[in-house]
Amino acid sequence: MRSFLYLIVVIFLFSSSVNACDRCLHRSKAAYFSSASALSSGACAYGPMATRFFAGHIAAAIPSIYKDGAGCGACFQVRCKNPKLCTSKGTIVMVTDLNTSNQTDLVLSSRAFRAMAKPVVGSDKYLLKQGIVDVEYQRVPCNYGKRNLNVRVEEASKGPNYLAIKLLYQGGQTEVVGIDIARVGSSQWSYMTRSHGAVWATDKVPTGALQFRFTVTGGYDGKTVWSKRVLPANWKAGMIYDTGVQITDIAQEGCDTCGHIWN
């Protein structure tokens, strides 16, 4: 029964990805965080690590982008629409938090907000004074160069009764909507569930070194990414482990009904 329910959840999330055109050009407004402390308490649960992603160019996003945590780690290119103040390129931000405001789609870090300004002395400070600006944004692939997808074991983890992990440096333009776990060399897989934000957990922790399968969806395409050896038998809470794989897939859905692609 639990396997059936898990399948239903994955199908639902996959369907949501199909129906939402991530590559579409969206027009809305954006604000910025005035307090740096807010960046370390985001709903994605990245904590203080959040400010290290993309040189601190991060953002809180509305529920349709956050997707109950599936949108954590997604990258968006954002530009303000005032040609006197802003460049046509804008900046790239990573989603680290949920934005519950009904005034803007995105709330950027002040560093990301300022990065939209033209490289003219004082332009970034003047842009900050605007508070809220009109923007265009669309999803783009996250690029971490040669860095692989990483797994961080959360402090609450305690084998063999409980394991919680957080995905870091997820590349491409897709979402991880399912994670299976098994002992290395075993075909007895069990599934993890999303606890909150970017954190996945299970109370059925196999003994020994652990392998992972990531169910990845994006647009009309979906696949499984298999990491054959992720956690050592003596894994420790608070440690970060290299999966040896990276997700590079790009969403392929059409955007005929919601605007042009941002070139």
Side-chain angles (χ1 to χ4, degrees):
M1 180 66 178
R2 291 183 68 190
S3 297
F4 174 74
L5 291 174
Y6 171 69
L7 179 61
I8 292 296
V9 170
V10 170
I11 291 174
F12 171 77
L13 289 171
F14 176 77
S15 176
S16 297
S17 293
V18 172
N19 293 331
C21 180
D22 277 334
R23 295 187 301 130
C24 294
L25 180 65
H26 301 273
R27 296 178 175 86
S28 182
K29 295 180 182 294
Y32 67 92
F33 287 106
S34 57
S35 171
S37 62
L39 302 175
S40 298
S41 58
C44 289
Y46 291 120
M49 290 191 67
T51 56
R52 305 177 199 170
F53 297 116
F54 290 92
H57 290 203
I58 54 181
I62 54 175
S64 61
I65 295 175
Y66 180 75
K67 300 177 182 178
D68 293 324
C72 289
C75 294
F76 287 82
Q77 190 166 8
V78 188
R79 65 181 177 188
C80 84
K81 296 178 65 177
N82 186 334
K84 293 183 178 179
L85 290 178
C86 302
T87 67
S88 60
K89 183 179 180 181
T91 189
I92 293 177
V93 298
M94 186 184 111
V95 174
T96 62
D97 196 5
L98 172 65
N99 173 27
T100 56
S101 167
N102 59 6
Q103 293 182 305
T104 68
D105 281 10
L106 300 168
V107 182
L108 312 183
S109 62
S110 60
R111 180 173 295 184
F113 198 87
R114 293 169 62 184
M116 295 189 295
K118 286 185 174 181
V120 178
V121 176
S123 290
D124 57 341
K125 293 181 180 179
Y126 188 74
L127 185 61
L128 284 177
K129 290 182 179 180
Q130 309 306 304
I132 297 177
V133 295
D134 293 322
V135 295
E136 294 178 331
Y137 69 91
Q138 69 177 35
R139 190 168 178 183
V140 295
C142 294
N143 185 354
Y144 292 103
K146 295 182 179 180
R147 188 191 292 269
N148 289 326
L149 175 69
N150 282 196
V151 165
R152 184 185 189 277
V153 178
E154 298 296 272
E155 280 76 7
S157 300
K158 187 176 181 180
N161 301 314
Y162 185 73
L163 173 64
I165 63 169
K166 181 161 54 193
L167 301 183
L168 305 174
Y169 309 113
Q170 178 184 331
Q173 189 183 319
T174 60
E175 286 132 23
V176 173
V177 295
I179 300 179
D180 296 319
I181 186 173
R183 178 173 54 83
V184 172
S186 171
S187 59
Q188 300 298 312
W189 294 90
S190 59
Y191 67 87
M192 304 186 79
T193 56
R194 188 182 295 279
S195 171
H196 58 284
V199 179
W200 295 75
T202 180
D203 58 3
K204 298 182 181 299
V205 188
T207 58
L210 302 178
Q211 58 179 328
F212 287 77
R213 292 189 310 199
F214 305 100
T215 302
V216 179
T217 66
Y220 55 68
D221 195 15
K223 64 184 291 185
T224 296
V225 177
W226 182 15
S227 181
K228 297 182 179 181
R229 191 179 187 92
V230 181
L231 300 186
N234 62 339
W235 54 263
K236 293 180 174 58
M239 296 295 291
I240 297 175
Y241 298 92
D242 192 325
T243 66
V245 300
Q246 181 54 281
I247 298 168
T248 58
D249 299 80
I250 307 297
Q252 298 296 319
E253 79 275 24
C255 299
D256 294 337
T257 60
C258 58
H260 300 291
I261 301 299
W262 181 0
N263 295 317

